[in-house]
Amino acid sequence: MSVDIQTVKKVASLARIAISDDDAQRLAPELSNILGWIEQLGEVDTSSVQPMTAVIPNTLRLRDDVVTDGGVRDDVLANAPQAEHGFFAVPKVIE
Amino acid sequence: MVVSEMTMTDSTYRIQGATGEWEVVIGLEVHAQITSKAKLFSGASTEFGAEPNSQVSLVDAAMPGMLPVPNRECVRQAVRTGMAIDAQINKWSRFDRKNYFYADLPQGYQISQLYHPIVGEGVITVTLDEKDPNSATKEIGVERIHIEQDAGKLMHDQHPTRSYVDLNRSGVALMEIVSRPDMRSPQEAGAYVRKLRSILRYVGSCDGNMEEGSMRADVNVSVRKPGDEFGTRTETKNVNSVRFVMAVIEQEAQRQVDVLEAGGKIVQETRLYDPDRNETRSMRSKEDAHDYRYFPDPDLLPLELDDAFLEECRASLPELPDAKRARYEGELGLSAYNAAVLTAEHETARWFEELAAAGGDKVTAKAAANWLLSDLFGALNRLGKGVEDSPVSPKQGAELLALVADGTISNTLGKQVFEIMLETGQDAGTIVEERGLKQTSDTGAIEAEIAKVMAANEDKVAEYRGGKDKLFGFFVGQTMKAMAGKANPSVVNELLKKALG
Amino acid sequence: MTDLTDLGIAAIRDGVREGSFSAREVADAFIVKVAAAKELNAFLVETPDHALAAAKAADAARAAGETLKPLAGVPIGMKDLFCTKGVQTTAASHILEGFTPTYESTVSQNLWDAGAGMLGKLNMDQFAMGSSNETSAFGNVISPWRRSDGGNAPLAPGGSSGGSSAAVAARLCPGATGTDTGGSIRQPAAFVGISGIKPTYGRCSRWGTVAFASSLDQAGPMARDVRDCAIMLEAMAGFDPKDGTSLQLDVPNWEAALNPSLAGKKIGIPKEYRVDNMPAEIDALWQQGIEWMRDAGAEIVEVSLPHTKYALPAYYIIAPAEASSNLARYDGVRFGQRELPEGANLQDMYAATRAAGFGPEVKRRILIGTYVLSAGFYDAYFTQASKVRTLIAQDFDKAWEQCDYLLTPTAPSAAFALGEKSADPLAMYLNDVFTVPSSLAGLPAMSVPGGLDKQGLPLGLQVIGKALDEQGVLNASLALEQRAGFVARPEAWW
Ligand SMILES: [Mg+2]
Ligand SMILES: [Zn+2]
């Protein structure tokens, strides 16, 4: 799969990583190269194979409906770049 | 603008456009908060209305290295809900991540279920005209119910240049109940949401409180010429009342007809409803907004349910509204209307059954139903209260009805006693006793009063005897008045007939 | 008196128990070594107080006649992927610079509960993405090893647990934690001549460890020998109800059951691991390993793992896909660095924060992961890779019908020079060719030093076992270790 600059920009935007035109120019052949290599997987006949769901046979454990957590606002906000009045603050969002 | 007019004949709802009739196609995705003490994947509380970020665990805040562990009760309630709508329960399901960036979504993904939901196809039967229980019913298909996390909350009005993030709701468990595009009118959609809410409350899986956001609907609307293929739909998000759901459909369908008739095209998009202006508007959508890159959440193994778990879910289901309604009509002999109204809300049915149980043999189901639906509901309406916070308990109501039934007090007195009960909270028996309101069947006392009434109204007695039958009521009224309302009306009738000849 | 930093975990533990020296003396010795080894850049944060407090507790317990905890008196290094309460945790990424967790990861807590102390947080490849420790935002770790050609080219300590490997090899700590997603314990262990084991997926809790690829990440110990690894793994492992993928199993007494005899055991040699362009020395070491296994009483059988060649491409879909999602939380809202250009809206802030905060390799993998999950590509890439992963696991299951363990080289080369492969991502990825398949299958696998190449650099051998058979893997590795008699160590130049 050859990835063009537009695709690189689109993917970077989906991933919320700002990239310059130069970055995109550099990344396009790099990603193409990696994706081209990955594509050899297409050779494998997997028509009768189930995708792996659990690496080691194990089932999901469920917990009891008990309040055991929360009430730790200071911990929650301790590392915030901007916290005000008990909230995280971000640039104003217009919905 | 195209002038159009909406008509509703039976279940056929059409929008009259310049180019002819249009049919509306509606599908609903209802997000219902699962009733649980703790969140879906963390031990933080779900209680409503707490201080910002005070009910947030490090898991809910998506701190590095935090992992989700699912709450059994949330799974159980989703399964019970599925069973209540006769849906397929998937013993093997799993959680997927829906990836997008937003400030109310700390992980950068919502844990949801796309590929393998816990509940598959089911059905909800709605009555098209709820005021007329004999009107036609319609089956609305439910495509699936899946479990997912709620997002946090953004506040935009606290600071001029900043939005504030409160994660108290982040991670609260939701069921997303996705209908088939089976509805064709705002009324059907309204009936569907009301019926769904009723079922959820019966099951106890959601409190159905739309004001607190416990239930929100994403409304998918498209229009087409009858018989045509489905048109392009729009999705109006987070509509939080039945009335608004219906309004959105009306507004959005009309808007789409206007666009199409003006030669335009409907864009598949997400819209928001503005109740103040009663209109929907496009959310500023990003190009990539719909590429959610779903994939199985690698932090969570597949969810496998065993037979014992499913058995417990089934065994714990209460009698559901449709079955209850049929039983009220069949076994209790209630009218179709009364049965429908009594069973529409779980709380009403519960109240009725407690009333009937407390009344035992002394009070008939019909009497109990009539009193509840007229006297009690009337009073609650006046007081602006719901049946769950009625000032009179079912036991007190039953005592009152028993006093009427055994003739201790008359119907009329019963109503007075009820008013006093509402004011004072006293029991009916106490009120009757203390205020001497007992009805009398003492023939001597009644005959004495009748004699006085006849003596005082000789002219009327003559008229009556001359054939003016209508005057009988006058004598009953006078006698009852003289007895201060406490005479047994049937005894009064009998003795008056005898005395007047 | 012996230099205490020459001692491994078992020797320190036993010495403290017997009173040959105090835990305080041990801690002091290592603290001095750590402080003097800045040139290696193995430590991002030094925490002498933590090590000293643990030492004090151990000495006090001994003085009080109490039974000492399993790791009492043993100071260790902690990979910076583990969140440590009150101590900066960055995953070697600028985006987490200054992040001070208010919580302790389960694995590190288990170690502290076992009596260990922390000398500091170890450098690593950023978010554990890399095989040379060159992707750290805080500079390369320099391997303590040098080629015997006298060229003094700085060498890669391997990755992603490069700070851990360098620190143990340079005797800055007797053991260190590592994490292994596709070989990040085993390859660096092989590069610096130490031992390291990745246990069965689910043995060690992932709670509180910065996630790279959730379905692959496993913590494990890196130490000087097999016994030390067994001791440390016993302390690290265990069921954790906070991790939904944690195995609900008791931790075996691996150390007590160590047994180098392989009588009656069958060792499988996977023929597909004879890759093109494998250096002759690696092949020779592998042959030597086979002989050692035979000598220990094992029968050698050739086995086939037919989908081996697809393991790396499958891994480079699954790991980046999971990572692209796992790393979405680094958005500058709740913790870590925020980049807020003038007039930026929320989404601009995300993009700027992540552009400034993530290094090039992390971005590359996020982009690949985003791409393979995006609309229209999901089935062709992610679903196909998940199916191939099933086939790879089935290959192993079939092999276990013929043998008990597999023996392979750990890496296709000895340590390379810094900068040698960093320009070519694919060449770097290929370094994990022998370690990735067992990661995809969640199997326990261990690297032990086998010998030196002609440049005087260590080479490792890998033993892969059945799920949950850490004991067998440790035993087979012990058999190799005893026969290899590896004693080489880098000469201190730092
Ligand atoms: Mg929706
Ligand atoms: Zn939803």
Side-chain angles (χ1 to χ4, degrees), chain B residues 29 31 98 148 176 218-220 235 237:
Chain B
E29 294 163 27
H31 284 95
K98 178 182 183 178
E148 63 185 25
E176 182 172 329
D218 296 345
V219 184
N220 290 288
E235 180 179 15
K237 290 268 192 198

Side-chain angles (χ1 to χ4, degrees), chain B residues 4-51:
Chain B
S4 65
E5 172 193 335
M6 275 161 256
T7 57
M8 169 96 180
T9 47
D10 295 329
S11 67
T12 318
Y13 175 86
R14 293 283 186 269
I15 295 175
Q16 298 294 335
T19 61
E21 288 194 330
W22 294 83
E23 183 182 42
V24 189
V25 176
I26 305 147
L28 294 175
E29 294 163 27
V30 173
H31 284 95
Q33 179 180 334
I34 299 177
T35 302
S36 65
K37 296 187 194 79
K39 292 183 181 179
L40 178 54
F41 293 116
S42 87
S45 169
T46 59
E47 201 124 2
F48 183 77
E51 286 288 294

Side-chain angles (χ1 to χ4, degrees), chain C residues 196-216:
Chain C
I197 180 168
K198 176 196 92 73
T200 309
Y201 180 82
R203 274 284 194 205
C204 288
S205 168
R206 293 184 297 112
W207 192 89
T209 309
V210 174
F212 162 16
S214 309
S215 75
L216 293 151

Side-chain angles (χ1 to χ4, degrees), chain C residues 125 130-133 143 155-163 165 187-188 191-192 415-416:
Chain C
D125 274 305
S131 305
S132 64
N133 213 116
S143 171
L155 301 179
S160 66
S161 310
S165 66
Q187 183 257 19
F191 272 24
V192 302
F416 42 83

Side-chain angles (χ1 to χ4, degrees), chain A residues 32-48:
Chain A
S32 295
N33 194 25
I34 295 167
L35 290 166
W37 168 71
I38 285 170
E39 268 165 17
Q40 58 179 300
L41 278 189
E43 297 165 11
V44 186
D45 177 7
T46 55
S47 46
S48 57

Side-chain angles (χ1 to χ4, degrees), chain C residues 6-28:
Chain C
D6 280 343
L7 302 179
I9 291 171
I12 292 171
R13 174 196 65 187
D14 296 346
V16 169
R17 266 184 204 171
E18 288 154 16
S20 312
F21 39 78
S22 70
R24 171 71 196 236
E25 289 172 296
V26 174
D28 281 339

Side-chain angles (χ1 to χ4, degrees), chain A residues 1-3 7-8 10-19 23 26-27 30-31 33-53 55-61 63 74-82 88-93, chain C residues 98-100 102 200-201 215 239-240 243-248 307 309-310 312-314 316-317 332-336 338 340 344-347 349-351 354-355 363-364 366-368 370-372 377 381 384-391 393 426 429 440-442 467:
Chain A
M1 168 65 73
S2 159
V3 179
T7 309
V8 172
K10 196 183 144 228
V11 172
S13 142
L14 259 181
R16 296 297 185 276
I17 297 176
I19 58 167
D23 290 337
R26 180 178 50 75
L27 279 161
E30 217 173 82
L31 297 185
N33 194 25
I34 295 167
L35 290 166
W37 168 71
I38 285 170
E39 268 165 17
Q40 58 179 300
L41 278 189
E43 297 165 11
V44 186
D45 177 7
T46 55
S47 46
S48 57
V49 182
Q50 287 300 310
M52 179 177 277
T53 51
V55 191
I56 299 298
N58 194 0
T59 50
L60 188 58
R61 282 183 317 277
R63 40 170 251 284
D74 291 348
D75 283 0
V76 166
L77 298 174
N79 281 283
Q82 193 172 40
F88 296 102
V90 297
K92 197 167 195 88
V93 178
Chain C
F99 172 64
T100 308
T102 56
T200 309
Y201 180 82
S215 75
F239 171 61
D240 181 3
D243 174 358
T245 58
S246 173
L247 293 167
Q248 199 158 4
H307 297 91
K309 91 175 252 217
Y310 300 108
L312 268 181
Y316 275 96
I317 290 171
V333 175
R334 297 165 318 286
F335 45 78
R338 167 185 289 192
L340 187 60
N345 67 23
L346 177 73
Q347 300 294 343
M349 181 187 91
Y350 291 154
R354 293 160 62 78
K363 287 181 195 170
R364 192 178 289 127
I366 290 175
L367 294 179
I368 292 171
T370 304
Y371 182 84
V372 300
F377 297 112
Y381 287 106
Q384 176 72 355
S386 303
K387 289 177 170 183
V388 169
R389 192 173 180 185
T390 300
L391 291 171
L426 262 187
Y429 297 172
L440 286 171

Side-chain angles (χ1 to χ4, degrees), chain A residues 13 16 53 59-60 62-65 67-73 76 82 84 86-88 90 92-93 95, chain B residues 37-40 42-43 52-54 57 63 69-72 101-102 156 159 161-165 288 304:
Chain A
S13 142
R16 296 297 185 276
T53 51
T59 50
L60 188 58
L62 304 173
R63 40 170 251 284
D64 291 339
D65 183 28
V67 175
T68 55
D69 207 339
V72 290
R73 178 153 87 179
V76 166
Q82 193 172 40
E84 289 168 9
F87 296 97
F88 296 102
V90 297
K92 197 167 195 88
V93 178
E95 276 179 326
Chain B
K37 296 187 194 79
K39 292 183 181 179
L40 178 54
S42 87
N53 291 308
S54 64
S57 81
M63 290 288 164
V69 181
N71 182 335
R72 179 183 297 104
F101 287 89
Y102 203 57
H156 307 298
H159 190 282
T161 61
R162 289 171 205 150
S163 291
Y164 284 157
V165 186
D288 55 30
E304 296 177 62

